[in-house]
């Protein structure tokens, strides 16, 4: 028996709809694949463009045992000179002036077995020749894991220490302020702290900062040692040497040599590269002496590590407020705490032990100095502590040194 007329029409519409969907779905899939292909091509082109920007042609390449690649770049073709204000800049190999007492010998040494010698892992496989500087190569996988390919290496957490109870950033620091500053010194104890999450960090550093009258605009020069599993920079578990600067209150800025600004002059150490040995709990201690001073002839801010590593300088022209002098100097530790699962992170600061444990167990800063408005190198005087969560990370200070750090989550830091 033939179906009723209305049922026949419904049946034909169902057949047509089935055939339409049969052809439409493969076509839609093709469209999605085409869109993804276009996106992938654009992303790959952007990655290749950024790699070309970040990685300069090398005169020599050294493969480090830890997987880093160090490119020895012509000193006159380093990233600094891509800065629009440095196009015609004449590189200075030495400062035009030095502060008195530049070379520091250990005094008031809070760790009797401290070893300030600086070595990096890539040195095992070679050195860069004269006339070049070493730069850690940015790899494609670094950019693939970065949250922003275009700004890779340029951004930093807004991390000037403050007294606010910040849920993410935690500090155990000492700040010197109330004067005009033209430099600072600090010997920083080197550890390899545990970092819990992929986007967290633990670092020991200095901040040389200049702020305007209302404190909103801020320039900084920063440096130290960093343990970071932060996708913007590194995907490993090694402590690394780092610097950072910003001239607009962290709206932008730059790590190491990953954008134009810092002019490197030393061919022996690479920013962003790992180094050993670390300090041993209850045993030998490793440390690095950081000294920043302003050349009073050309105005550049020079960085020296140890007694003989004159690393280079931040030209005064790249700054606004900091072009003249600094208004504060800060030393200490910082961690990020994302409180996964509502608990405090287990990320360690320093050695991961509280300052009360003392020599060879707690991490330290020592030989703290500032260059004040009289261009006199002196110890800290007008200072105060900024410790945001003392049950998690704390600080215990002496005359020109302090112990600091802590384990993060513990029975006293839930």
């Amino acid at each position: 028996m033939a179906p009723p007329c209305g049922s026949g029409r419904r049946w034909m519409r169902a057949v047509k709809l089935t055939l339409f969907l049969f052809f439409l779905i493969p076509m839609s899939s093709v469209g999605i694949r085409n869109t993804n292909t276009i996106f992938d091509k654009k992303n790959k082109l952007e990655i290749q463009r950024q790699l070309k920007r970040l990685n300069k042609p090398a005169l020599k390449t050294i493969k480090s045992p830890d997987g880093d690649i160090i490119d020895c770049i012509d000193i006159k073709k380093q990233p600094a000179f891509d800065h629009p204000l440095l196009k015609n800049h004449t590189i200075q190999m030495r400062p035009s002036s030095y502060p008195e007492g530049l070379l520091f010998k250990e005094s008031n040494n809070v760790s009797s077995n401290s070893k300030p010698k600086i070595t990096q892992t890539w040195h095992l496989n070679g050195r860069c020749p004269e006339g070049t500087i070493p730069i850690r190569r940015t790899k494609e996988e670094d950019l693939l894991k970065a949250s922003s390919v275009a700004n890779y290496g340029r951004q930093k957490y807004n991390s000037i220490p403050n007294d606010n109870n910040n849920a993410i950033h935690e500090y155990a620091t000492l700040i010197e302020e109330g004067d005009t500053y033209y430099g600072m010194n600090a010997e920083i104890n080197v550890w390899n702290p545990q970092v819990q999450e992929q986007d967290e960090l633990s670092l020991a550093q200095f901040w040389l900062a200049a702020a305007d009258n209302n404190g909103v605009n801020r320039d900084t020069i920063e440096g130290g040692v960093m343990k970071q599993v932060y996708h913007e920079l590194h995907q490993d578990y090694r402590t690394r040497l780092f610097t950072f600067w910003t001239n607009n209150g962290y709206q932008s800025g730059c790590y190491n040599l990953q954008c134009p600004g810092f002019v490197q002059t030393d061919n022996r150490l690479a920013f962003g590269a790992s180094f050993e040995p670390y300090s041993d709990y209850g045993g030998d201690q490793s440390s690095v002496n950081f000294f920043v001073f302003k050349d009073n002839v050309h105005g550049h801010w020079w960085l020296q590590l140890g007694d003989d590593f004159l690393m280079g300088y931040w030209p005064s022209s790249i700054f606004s407020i900091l072009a003249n002098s600094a208004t504060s100097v800060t030393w200490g530790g910082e961690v990020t705490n994302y409180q996964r699962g509502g608990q405090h992170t287990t990320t360690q600061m320093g050695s991961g032990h509280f300052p009360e444990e003392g020599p060879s167990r707690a991490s330290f800063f020592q030989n703290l100095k500032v260059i004040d408005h009289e261009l006199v190198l002196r110890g800290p005087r007008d200072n105060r502590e900024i410790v945001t969560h003392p049950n998690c990370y704390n600080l215990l200070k002496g005359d020109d040194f302090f112990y600091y750090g802590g384990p993060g989550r513990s029975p006293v830091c839930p």
Side-chain angles (χ1 to χ4, degrees):
M1 179 182 295
C5 184
S7 298
R9 283 194 297 270
R10 287 195 297 271
W11 182 80
M12 288 301 295
R13 283 198 298 270
V15 171
K16 289 178 181 179
L17 179 61
T18 301
L19 291 173
F20 175 74
L21 293 174
F22 179 80
F23 288 106
L24 175 63
I25 291 173
M27 291 173 66
S28 300
S29 300
V30 171
I32 293 170
R33 286 197 299 270
N34 287 341
T35 302
N36 289 339
T37 300
I38 292 170
F39 174 79
D40 288 343
K41 285 181 178 180
K42 287 183 177 179
N43 199 37
K44 287 180 179 178
L45 287 173
E46 178 62 17
I47 286 173
Q48 292 306 313
R49 189 179 74 82
Q50 292 300 329
L51 287 174
K52 186 177 180 180
R53 175 183 69 83
L54 293 165
N55 298 321
K56 304 292 184 179
L59 300 178
K60 180 180 179 180
T61 296
I62 301 169
K63 179 70 178 293
S64 176
D66 62 12
D68 281 349
I69 298 174
I70 304 298
D71 289 324
C72 302
I73 306 299
D74 185 333
I75 192 171
K76 297 178 181 179
K77 297 181 180 179
Q78 61 180 291
F81 303 120
D82 292 337
H83 195 292
L85 296 176
L86 303 179
K87 290 295 184 183
N88 299 315
H89 183 82
T90 300
I91 189 170
Q92 280 187 258
M93 295 304 295
R94 290 289 182 271
S96 300
S97 66
Y98 290 87
E100 288 187 30
L102 171 61
L103 300 182
F104 294 103
K105 301 303 178 184
E106 291 182 285
S107 61
N108 193 18
N109 192 343
V110 300
S111 176
S112 60
N113 51 4
S114 179
K115 294 183 177 180
K117 185 178 179 181
I118 307 171
T119 60
Q120 291 187 307
T121 311
W122 64 276
H123 291 162
L124 295 172
N125 289 341
R127 301 292 176 110
C128 284
E130 292 295 326
T132 68
I133 61 165
I135 299 181
R136 178 185 178 271
R137 183 185 299 179
T138 301
K139 294 176 282 190
E140 184 173 345
E141 52 265 36
D142 297 333
L143 293 183
L144 287 172
K145 293 178 180 179
S147 62
S148 174
V149 172
N151 289 321
Y152 176 84
R154 298 181 182 224
Q155 299 296 328
K156 184 181 189 288
Y157 295 103
N158 187 343
S159 60
I160 202 76
N162 56 69
D163 294 305
N164 297 329
N165 188 359
N166 190 307
I168 297 176
H169 297 273
E170 299 191 20
Y171 305 99
T173 59
L174 185 71
I175 180 170
E176 163 89 9
E177 54 190 353
D179 202 339
T180 301
Y181 303 99
Y182 296 91
M184 70 93 230
N185 184 71
E187 185 177 329
I188 302 178
N189 195 199
V190 179
W191 294 82
N192 193 39
Q194 172 185 303
V195 176
Q196 176 180 312
E197 301 290 338
Q198 286 192 334
D199 49 359
E200 289 184 340
L201 60 82
S202 177
L203 53 82
Q205 73 162 92
F206 66 85
W207 291 258
L208 190 66
D212 59 13
N213 292 332
N214 58 18
V216 174
N217 297 316
R218 189 182 301 272
D219 295 353
T220 72
I221 289 172
E222 305 173 29
V225 291
M226 174 188 297
K227 174 67 177 292
Q228 186 174 40
V229 195
Y230 176 36
H231 280 178
E232 291 292 335
L233 286 178
H234 310 301
Q235 295 81 44
D236 58 43
Y237 296 88
R238 292 184 290 274
T239 296
R240 297 173 179 270
L241 178 69
F242 86 96
T243 62
F244 180 85
W245 65 273
T246 181
N247 60 6
N248 54 18
Y250 293 100
Q251 294 180 52
S252 64
C254 185
Y255 278 106
N256 306 326
L257 303 185
Q258 292 176 333
C259 64
F262 185 83
V263 178
Q264 185 162 337
T265 57
D266 193 285
N267 69 332
R268 293 167 293 175
L269 298 177
F271 292 115
S274 62
F275 60 96
E276 295 176 339
Y278 308 129
S279 297
D280 292 326
Y281 182 76
D284 290 339
Q285 300 296 291
S286 177
S287 60
V288 178
N289 192 74
F290 289 81
F291 187 74
V292 177
F293 63 96
K294 191 171 178 61
D295 178 343
N296 61 23
V297 177
H298 292 92
H300 306 320
W301 292 93
W302 283 84
L303 172 65
Q304 178 165 318
L305 303 181
D307 285 346
D308 59 355
F309 291 93
L310 190 63
M311 294 301 297
Y313 58 92
W314 291 270
S316 60
S317 60
I318 67 175
F319 296 106
S320 52
I321 313 168
L322 199 55
N324 298 315
S325 61
T327 55
S328 67
V329 180
T330 306
W331 307 273
E334 176 187 357
V335 300
T336 48
N337 167 32
Y338 284 100
Q339 298 183 330
R340 300 291 193 256
Q343 291 184 307
H344 193 286
T345 181
T346 58
T347 293
Q348 298 173 337
M349 179 187 290
S351 67
H353 294 263
F354 284 112
E356 290 78 8
E357 294 195 32
S360 301
R361 290 168 171 78
S363 189
F364 65 82
F365 277 62
Q366 68 178 5
N367 297 331
L368 303 179
K369 304 244 183 346
V370 298
I371 302 175
D372 64 14
H373 71 285
E374 295 180 343
L375 302 183
V376 173
L377 188 68
R378 62 166 174 81
R381 187 169 62 204
D382 303 311
N383 58 74
R384 61 187 174 90
E385 300 172 24
I386 297 178
V387 178
T388 52
H389 292 84
N391 289 337
C392 305
Y393 314 102
N394 210 345
L395 185 145
L396 183 63
K397 71 172 181 173
D399 293 333
D400 66 347
F401 69 91
F402 60 82
Y403 295 104
Y404 75 101
R409 188 168 73 235
S410 70
V412 297
C413 175

